[in-house]
Amino acid sequence: MKIPGPFTAEQEQYLKELRTQNRAQLRSLFGKLNPPDIRTFVGEYDAELLNQGGRTAQKITQFIFGLRGPWTGKAFKPTDATRGVGYNCFLYGEDFVEKLPMHTRIDDSQLDSGKSMFIDYRDLNHGIIRWLVGELREVTPTVILGIGAFGPKWGSRDGWRRKIPFVMIGPRRPYSISLTKVWVSQPDKARSAA
């Protein structure tokens, strides 16, 4: 699913560039960027998958990302200077639905020697989603490049994990604060609800 407009001129320019880059170019760009400031990274961001390395890989990744409904993005809220919480956004008709809660943190990248903002599903979910970890870096404050890594974490840094590049634009909507208390203070209840 493509991110809908409207866009600022800067967002439109970067989105157009990111949509035309291959996986190697996206990975190279990612290595030159810095993580967003988690303290000011608040709200719902619209997202789309970028080049997955071929038509078959693109279709499989889109299918997997759509298993819980039409995936439209992610939302973020800091809990302190280096950590936060969030959720994924799905669109049902005209309603945005929050699913797949996550923790966020600033940490050393698993992709290179820099720092990234991590997205981690392990403590708040069950099932195969626990194998997904994402890293975010800032193209601009409103254009975020992400690389998800999916699969068991074995061996070297890259191991057997499939890399999933995506872009986010935002924030587009406010964060839904009604869910934060459950995820921060009662992760077991959030896990059973997800």
Side-chain angles (χ1 to χ4, degrees):
M1 188 169 176
K2 298 270 188 196
I3 298 173
F7 304 111
T8 66
E10 181 181 63
Q11 289 171 340
E12 192 161 1
Q13 172 196 340
Y14 283 113
L15 191 55
K16 183 177 179 182
E17 289 175 16
L18 292 170
R19 285 173 172 164
T20 62
Q21 292 186 359
N22 64 35
R23 287 166 54 84
Q25 291 169 321
L26 292 167
R27 186 86 179 258
S28 175
L29 173 62
F30 188 83
K32 299 172 186 171
L33 303 173
N34 294 311
D37 183 345
I38 201 167
R39 296 168 299 181
T40 59
F41 200 61
V42 182
E44 290 186 358
Y45 287 69
D46 287 339
E48 73 180 60
L49 296 171
L50 295 171
N51 188 321
Q52 300 300 311
R55 187 176 298 172
T56 301
Q58 193 80 24
K59 288 187 180 212
I60 290 170
T61 306
Q62 286 173 338
F63 173 77
I64 291 170
F65 270 67
L67 285 174
R68 293 184 182 251
W71 177 69
T72 62
K74 299 178 182 292
F76 305 89
K77 180 176 179 156
T79 55
D80 63 35
T82 60
R83 296 190 177 278
V85 292
Y87 54 85
N88 281 263
C89 306
F90 295 85
L91 186 62
Y92 293 91
E94 294 185 16
D95 295 326
F96 288 96
V97 177
E98 303 88 5
K99 294 183 179 181
L100 302 176
M102 58 197 184
H103 283 128
T104 59
R105 71 182 186 280
I106 302 297
D107 208 339
D108 294 328
S109 174
Q110 294 178 2
L111 301 171
D112 58 32
S113 60
K115 295 274 189 191
S116 288
M117 181 174 168
F118 273 80
I119 298 168
D120 191 339
Y121 296 95
R122 288 175 295 176
D123 292 339
L124 300 176
N125 296 277
H126 53 68
I128 200 164
I129 189 67
R130 293 167 54 91
W131 282 9
L132 182 62
V133 174
E135 295 189 30
L136 304 177
R137 292 190 180 158
E138 207 175 62
V139 177
T140 74
T142 66
V143 179
I144 307 298
L145 179 59
I147 296 184
F150 185 77
K153 189 177 176 184
W154 298 328
S156 69
R157 280 185 170 179
D158 287 327
W160 294 92
R161 306 190 102 189
R162 172 88 175 128
K163 304 304 181 289
I164 305 166
F166 61 96
V167 61
M168 298 189 312
I169 303 285
R172 292 292 187 85
R173 292 167 299 283
Y175 187 92
S176 178
I177 59 172
S178 61
L179 301 174
T180 303
K181 290 180 184 174
V182 174
W183 296 344
V184 172
S185 62
Q186 301 170 4
D188 290 336
K189 287 186 180 178
R191 187 178 299 125
S192 63

